[in-house]
Amino acid sequence: RTEQGKLDEVASDIKAFLKGVPESVDEMKEIISYAKMPFIVKGIMTAKGAEKAVEAGAAAIVVSNHGGSVQGACPSTAEVLPAIADAVKGKMVILVDGGIRNGVDVCKALAMGADAVIMARPFVTALYGGGAEGVKILTDKIKAELEATVADLTAKVDAVTAELAAANEALAAAQAELEAAAAAKAELDASAAKVAELEANVSALTAQNEKAAADLDFMAAAKYRDEMWALQQYLEVWKD
């Protein structure tokens, strides 16, 4: 058998095996082991589903709602992609499809956690309308849009980073000024405390001086009385 014949046989066997949707991780493991090739699970719309795909051994998942045709009011892939990426990023390849039409959309999907995107409808139109050249034109257009978007975002990130660095420098300068002001205030508080201490000492010395003056006045008065008494005694003796 040719290699293609073997692949066709495997595909036929898998189709026969997959008469229904796998109902457990173990069934998915069996399918993946039977395929004997990197296995991609399409139609993942929840973080829990992505984690089960990892557990089953899938090499990749496609975050897809199958064009929203599975059920009414189905969420878009953009709504569920971030949570799925948070759950399994780095554990498997994350692909996403659904409404991706240009390079800006590709950039958004990558920013939300996808490793790559799947675009079908735009390329079908390009192929039918322009053949290989149409596909090349569309591919170049998407590439140019993606590069321009990334360049624009990079410039904006650089600008914000510069603003943040300037703000951090201003904050550091303000903090330094605040610390200097705090040190100056501490010196002023210490000076105020010293002044209060000196004022207290002056008050104490003033009180001592006032007491000393009062004592001197008292002693002077007492001496005057003693001299007057002595004079009176002398006069009385002289009279006699």
Side-chain angles (χ1 to χ4, degrees), residues 40-204:
I40 301 174
V41 180
K42 186 174 185 287
I44 298 296
M45 288 293 289
T46 65
K48 186 175 181 180
E51 290 169 346
K52 287 184 177 181
V54 171
E55 185 181 353
I61 56 172
V62 179
V63 179
S64 174
N65 61 11
H66 303 295
S69 61
V70 175
Q71 57 185 5
C74 185
S76 68
T77 54
E79 292 179 86
V80 301
L81 177 57
I84 293 173
D86 287 342
V88 300
K89 186 72 172 178
K91 301 176 182 178
M92 59 172 18
V93 175
I94 302 174
L95 308 174
V96 63
D97 69 4
I100 299 171
R101 298 291 181 262
N102 52 52
V104 176
D105 293 338
V106 173
C107 186
K108 290 178 181 178
L110 297 178
M112 286 189 287
D115 295 304
V117 303
I118 297 175
M119 299 176 65
R121 193 170 302 174
F123 280 96
V124 170
T125 303
L127 178 62
Y128 274 95
E133 184 180 357
V135 171
K136 183 180 184 304
I137 291 173
L138 178 60
T139 301
D140 292 342
K141 173 179 177 293
I142 293 171
K143 180 182 177 182
E145 291 170 345
L146 177 59
E147 290 175 346
T149 302
V150 171
D152 181 54
L153 291 176
T154 300
K156 289 180 180 179
V157 169
D158 290 343
V160 172
T161 301
E163 291 177 3
L164 182 59
N168 286 335
E169 290 179 2
L171 177 60
Q175 288 176 336
E177 291 179 2
L178 181 60
E179 291 173 358
K185 183 179 181 301
E187 291 180 1
L188 288 175
D189 291 342
S191 297
K194 188 64 177 178
V195 169
E197 180 183 355
L198 291 174
E199 289 177 344
N201 291 337
V202 169
S203 297

